[in-house]
Amino acid sequence: MKPIRFIMLGGFLGAGKTTSMGRLAKHFQDQGLKVGLVTNDQAVDLVDTHTLREQGFKVEEVAGACFCCKFDDLVEKVGKLGAQELPDIILAEPVGSCTDLVATVVAPLKDLYGKTVSVSPYAVLFKPSHGLRILRKESSGFSPKAAYIFEKQLEEADIIVINRVDEMAPGEVAEVIALVKSKFPGVPVLPVSAKTGKGMEALIEALSLEGNFGKRILDIDYDTYAEGEAELGWMNSNMQFSSNEEFPLDDVLLEVVGEMQKELSGQGAEVAHLKAIGLWEGFFGVANLVNSEGKPQLSLPSNARASEISLIINARVAIDPAILKDISSKVVGRIAEKRKAVATAEKTQSFRPGRPTPTHRYAAVKG
């Protein structure tokens, strides 16, 4: 039996992993291949999972911790995707604040499941809005400990993918590539736009290479890593938003993200990623913000009007999670009042990530 191809895309929060996963999945399906996706989060109700499922993909979710700490769950979810029809390819998206994945995910997969799984080169997406400031040694809005995670993610990559080049000037793209090559010599660097598809052919070709990839075991300080992760307040909120009159779904999503941005800016809190999805009877829209100075974007418009939606908000922000929860509740309530609607909370999780405790950690990659 031919081994399942396992492709994991790493990268910091807001780097564009979900958009890349969707584009890659569609490409492989168009080639006649069967594809399964696994998403990952510190909490349940992940916008990314809903987004990919609404696009028609088979998706499983590992919740409660990163793949490294939920390795057995990752294996179980891969098995669940293959329960009815064995996939040719598995695309996996780890938590955006996680690193040390070669030692804790790639190496164990190769050692324990090498006969059934073929691991592709480990690609890590570079997020320009924060990454450029981090590599320039400028203030990024995060502490040096959070920046440490960002750089460690790149250090273990087989391929560094400069994403969002459609949002950058040509000179800025050239600067990022030069900085990355200088910081991580010998690692292939690919400029792409997952949103437009530019450069994705080269990434697909790189991911199809055969060889003994995933060998860059990190020398990492878990105290610094844990403290960097704990800097971020984490919130996943699920609610119903309803009105007696129809409202434009996409406008509500942009209002939610935009108003939360203003409130967080007033607190001096740096946004790592903020996203909202609205779901209604086969329609869905997604809005997101990937840094405090950016502009909220409608990444997947619904072009729909609705009188009731399921509204899910995911926020990763350098702020106390209790304050983050209060801001989210206040903003949605204010928007509901303006639109003569009612917002009913169903479930909210807000916390700081705990210390990573990997299921396995290999000192070297076998083979």
Side-chain angles (χ1 to χ4, degrees):
M1 183 177 66
K2 186 177 180 181
I4 299 171
R5 189 77 166 174
F6 182 86
I7 299 173
M8 185 165 63
L9 293 182
F12 201 67
L13 297 154
K17 297 186 296 296
T18 305
T19 304
S20 301
M21 291 254 291
R23 188 170 284 278
L24 289 172
K26 185 177 186 309
H27 166 81
F28 292 129
Q29 286 185 340
D30 289 346
Q31 301 300 308
L33 299 172
K34 297 181 287 293
V35 183
L37 289 77
V38 185
T39 56
N40 183 209
D41 194 45
Q42 302 280 6
V44 297
D45 283 327
L46 185 59
V47 167
D48 297 344
T49 304
H50 288 281
T51 299
L52 292 165
R53 282 178 179 161
E54 290 296 323
Q55 293 178 74
F57 300 121
K58 293 182 179 179
V59 186
E60 291 292 331
E61 180 180 300
V62 173
C66 189
F67 287 150
C68 61
C69 305
K70 292 268 190 175
F71 181 83
D72 294 337
D73 285 16
L74 169 61
V75 173
E76 178 189 342
K77 297 298 183 181
V78 171
K80 191 172 180 180
L81 285 166
Q84 296 179 336
E85 188 176 28
L86 200 65
D88 299 296
I89 294 173
I90 293 290
L91 292 165
E93 175 189 355
V95 175
S97 59
C98 190
T99 188
D100 201 31
L101 290 162
V102 171
T104 61
V105 178
V106 173
L109 276 175
K110 285 185 169 186
D111 182 38
L112 302 174
Y113 300 96
K115 293 182 179 179
T116 56
V117 174
S118 172
V119 180
S120 283
Y122 178 43
V124 174
L125 274 64
F126 180 94
K127 179 184 180 183
S129 57
H130 286 122
L132 190 54
R133 284 180 279 167
I134 288 171
L135 294 189
R136 285 173 175 165
K137 302 302 180 184
E138 299 173 351
S139 173
S140 65
F142 297 121
S143 74
K145 291 177 180 178
Y148 176 82
I149 295 172
F150 187 99
E151 294 195 61
K152 284 296 179 182
Q153 288 178 338
L154 300 172
E155 187 180 325
E156 62 179 335
D158 290 313
I159 307 162
I160 296 176
V161 182
I162 311 298
N163 193 25
R164 301 183 179 274
V165 295
D166 58 297
E167 301 172 7
M168 303 163 66
E172 202 171 37
V173 175
E175 180 187 2
V176 170
I177 291 173
L179 281 169
V180 171
K181 285 186 174 182
S182 173
K183 180 77 174 177
F184 307 100
V187 181
V189 178
L190 300 177
V192 310
S193 169
K195 181 178 179 180
T196 67
K198 181 179 179 180
M200 291 297 289
E201 299 88 351
L203 176 58
I204 290 165
E205 183 177 349
L207 292 173
S208 69
L209 293 174
E210 301 285 348
N212 192 16
F213 299 105
K215 298 181 68 174
R216 300 176 187 273
I217 300 291
L218 293 177
D219 178 10
I220 185 167
D221 182 338
Y222 261 70
D223 290 334
T224 302
Y225 174 15
E227 290 169 18
E229 266 207 301
E231 177 183 325
L232 295 172
W234 216 270
M235 187 202 73
N236 286 10
S237 178
N238 189 327
M239 63 193 75
Q240 293 296 311
F241 189 96
S242 59
S243 174
N244 292 326
E245 299 178 0
E246 287 191 340
F247 52 83
L249 191 159
D250 296 338
D251 289 359
V252 168
L253 296 177
L254 284 172
E255 287 173 12
V256 168
V257 173
E259 288 300 308
M260 285 191 66
Q261 179 186 22
K262 291 176 185 176
E263 293 283 343
L264 292 165
S265 178
Q267 295 277 346
E270 181 65 25
V271 173
H273 205 181
L274 171 59
K275 45 194 166 183
I277 186 171
L279 303 150
W280 173 73
E281 294 186 359
F283 294 92
F284 76 101
V286 180
N288 70 81
L289 177 72
V290 297
N291 64 85
S292 293
E293 297 175 1
K295 182 179 179 182
Q297 295 185 349
L298 195 65
S299 51
L300 290 169
S302 69
N303 300 312
R305 296 182 66 84
S307 57
E308 182 175 359
I309 61 171
S310 292
L311 174 63
I312 300 171
I313 303 170
N314 292 172
R316 320 302 184 225
V317 184
I319 195 172
D320 186 307
I323 297 174
L324 182 57
K325 180 181 176 181
D326 288 344
I327 287 174
S328 172
S329 178
K330 180 170 69 173
V331 163
V332 174
R334 194 163 63 218
I335 292 170
E337 183 178 2
K338 183 183 75 172
R339 291 189 171 275
K340 299 179 180 178
V342 176
T344 306
E346 294 195 337
K347 180 169 53 180
T348 298
Q349 294 177 284
S350 59
F351 56 91
R352 294 188 189 276
R355 184 184 179 86
T357 307
T359 308
H360 308 280
R361 188 176 193 278
Y362 283 49
V365 178
K366 298 181 181 181

